[in-house]
Amino acid sequence: MLTTVTASQPRRWQQRNYSPLTRQVEVTVSAAKLGIYLWSDRMGFQSGSENRQKRAEWLVDTLINLGPTFIKIGQALSTRADLLPLEYVRALVKLQDQVPQFPVDQAIDIIETEMGMPLEQVYKEFDREPIAAASLGQVHRAVLHTGEEVVVKVQRPGLDKLFDLDFEILGKLVKFAKRRMKGVKHFDLEAIHQEFCEILHREIDYVQEGMNAERFRRNFADHEYILVPRIYPEFTTRRILTMEYMPGIKVNDRHSLEAIGINPKDINHIGICAYLKQLLQDGFFQADPHPGNMAVRTDGKLIFYDFGMMAEVMPINQGQMVETFFAVLRKDTDQVVKTMTDMGLVENMADMTPVRRIIKLLLEKFSEKPVEAQAFRSVRNELYAVFEQQPFRLPARMTFIIKALTTLDGVARDLDPQYNLLIAAKPFVKSLATSSIQNKGSGMGQLVKQARGYLGQQINKPHPTEVAVVRLEQKLEDGELELKVKAFDTDRNLQLVQMAIKSLMYACITGFTALCGTILLVGGYKGGAVFAFVIATVMMFQLGKSLIRWMLRERIDRLAQG
């Protein structure tokens, strides 16, 4: 449930006579314009904070104008500071709460059409003013004839056709990007596009959402601090969803929580444990845990709303996730690299040493305290070397796990700036290890086994001096000396020299052929002059490309050096 928004003028995509050709032109032009803006930001052209802020505001307005499909994409990007400049990310957060509503008369028409009877026969009372507007629908309060207070989620008109058209257009853009843009080839864009298409089509089926909510309720039936609104299936169809009215304080409203005596750290603990249960025990999780989909009741219990975007973890991946989670807690670098490779997050290379070194360093530096951006300066050479080889990739199904975790991480940091996932997860691990459940399926048995193994490792943890000696020996074995780190700088400098020489050669050939062409033209040899000028033009084009690459490499090097 999102905050109430005021009515706005209908968008073009809401018009019934909206042309598919017009839609394709609008989407393509917007995508091209965004690409140019992002390229300008990376190149440093008009890259001041004020200019980036204007571009970010343009992006928000554009996504809202393009409608539900792109609002959902924007919401997914609002947690990805690794992909977009910070100003864009901050602006995209507005999409979580500031989505235009549609006319209430259209909502009533949809309810009466779906239920096959007048509104008065369906609900005793119906509030014409929506309490929330989401990208796919809006929510109205109502009262059933039996007296229960409920909320009614009504789907936006024409979503099916709009989704089909938008994903067809996006599919063409993905194929174009795959053919023409080298930088996206290591991303499985087609699979991500297909997965996103399937999930969004499932999300607009409110009968499926009702079934998801009931499954989620069963999973947390014995959890004291988790609440899930009851679904009323007799008043639910594919386009309308009726559920129990369960108000609460927005989950990231720290000041309001503290004002009524609720400790935000306790909410973090409840939320993190709930998500670990979803991911590691149930294999069924809410893929879009933004602040509008969670609230806190006045007694400190966490309420989950919106079960349209749910995702499942296959049993084999669930086992791998359990292994990876506890390997991170143990700081077992080899196991983390192995499971990441098995899950497809890392390409298997001939020499995995750079990847292993980065994982090890991240586990050592950042597992026991909040991550600070400045701390990454110490690993810039290793990061540079690894990303030159581009071994990392993101399988389509993992996109939604990463999105859920990064969104949840943002909510947790709003509540507690010093929050750390691994520290917050330890009570969950202890509760598993002391559980009397021995085997509730192989997944649960594996989870309890890993938890007990982790606690045993903590009990038998060696003395810090012994750990320091082991690390020193390992560094000597790996050859991680300053001399090797400097080699990265040497390699980069050599590459810059090679690019400079190549640019100089292009410049010399361009000048020489242009001079020859001029001499031939003066001498009356027009055919030879034209040929020379053509060669000069081609070389000048190559010179321009070479200079741009040189400037890009220098900018990347400066960024890598902090």
Side-chain angles (χ1 to χ4, degrees), residues 31-294:
K33 196 170 181 179
L34 175 61
I36 293 170
Y37 282 165
L38 293 176
W39 180 81
S40 299
D41 288 329
R42 291 193 182 103
M43 289 292 294
F45 300 139
Q46 295 182 331
S47 60
S49 180
E50 186 177 344
N51 286 319
R52 285 197 299 269
Q53 184 62 39
K54 289 179 180 177
R55 293 169 185 168
E57 291 170 0
W58 166 86
L59 177 59
V60 170
D61 290 340
T62 299
L63 292 175
I64 292 175
N65 284 326
L66 288 176
T69 313
F70 297 91
I71 291 171
K72 276 292 178 184
I73 292 173
Q75 288 174 349
L77 290 173
S78 70
T79 61
R80 300 304 301 271
D82 56 325
L83 298 179
L84 295 173
L86 187 59
E87 290 83 359
Y88 288 68
V89 173
R90 286 174 177 165
L92 287 172
V93 171
K94 296 176 184 177
L95 286 172
Q96 310 289 8
D97 289 331
Q98 298 179 8
V99 183
Q101 65 188 60
F102 57 90
V104 66
D105 291 337
Q106 291 185 8
I108 293 173
D109 286 344
I110 291 172
I111 293 172
E112 293 181 340
T113 301
E114 291 291 306
M115 296 301 299
M117 62 182 76
L119 181 71
E120 294 77 14
Q121 294 182 24
V122 183
Y123 304 108
K124 182 179 178 181
E125 297 177 17
F126 184 84
D127 192 345
R128 293 180 63 87
E129 184 66 29
I131 61 173
S135 53
L136 305 183
Q138 65 191 32
V139 180
H140 295 259
R141 285 186 64 179
V143 178
L144 298 178
H145 286 282
T146 51
E148 292 101 323
E149 286 191 76
V150 296
V151 292
V152 185
K153 184 157 76 168
V154 186
Q155 190 178 112
R156 289 183 180 274
L159 274 188
D160 278 334
K161 292 180 180 179
L162 190 65
F163 273 7
D164 290 341
L165 177 59
D166 285 345
F167 279 109
E168 181 183 349
I169 296 168
L170 288 172
K172 293 177 181 177
L173 292 175
V174 165
K175 289 178 181 177
F176 174 82
K178 191 174 180 181
R179 284 197 310 267
R180 303 291 182 184
M181 301 170 68
K182 295 180 181 179
V184 302
K185 288 187 177 179
H186 58 285
F187 295 105
D188 196 356
L189 288 183
E190 289 182 332
I192 292 174
H193 167 265
Q194 182 63 29
E195 182 78 5
F196 204 77
C197 177
E198 291 174 4
I199 283 188
L200 276 189
H201 273 93
R202 287 200 301 269
E203 191 173 358
I204 61 174
D205 182 351
Y206 288 171
V207 173
Q208 181 63 51
E209 180 174 348
M211 294 169 62
N212 290 341
E214 287 304 311
R215 179 177 173 183
F216 197 90
R217 273 171 60 89
R218 290 194 300 271
N219 289 344
F220 284 93
D222 299 326
H223 201 295
E224 183 181 1
Y225 291 99
I226 298 296
L227 298 174
V228 180
R230 174 190 168 194
I231 302 297
Y232 292 85
E234 63 272 32
F235 300 104
T236 296
T237 71
R238 195 173 182 279
R239 299 173 69 197
I240 63 171
L241 177 70
T242 303
M243 68 172 71
E244 177 184 3
Y245 177 57
M246 195 176 284
I249 300 169
K250 199 169 180 180
V251 71
N252 64 342
D253 189 348
R254 181 178 177 181
H255 297 298
S256 296
L257 293 174
E258 290 175 336
I260 61 171
I262 295 176
N263 188 344
K265 291 184 179 181
D266 292 339
I267 303 303
N268 261 354
H269 167 73
I270 296 169
I272 294 301
C273 289
Y275 254 86
L276 289 174
K277 180 183 184 309
Q278 291 175 54
L279 283 168
L280 302 180
Q281 282 182 247
D282 305 331
F284 181 70
F285 66 97
Q286 190 186 52
D288 191 23
H290 67 76
N293 287 343
M294 292 183 286

Side-chain angles (χ1 to χ4, degrees), residues 324-338:
T324 304
F325 176 72
F326 285 98
V328 169
L329 290 181
R330 293 192 307 269
K331 301 182 183 179
D332 185 345
T333 305
D334 290 335
Q335 184 62 42
V336 172
V337 172
K338 179 180 181 300

Side-chain angles (χ1 to χ4, degrees), residues 514-527:
L515 179 61
C516 290
T518 303
I519 293 172
L520 290 171
L521 186 63
V522 172
Y525 299 97
K526 292 184 179 180

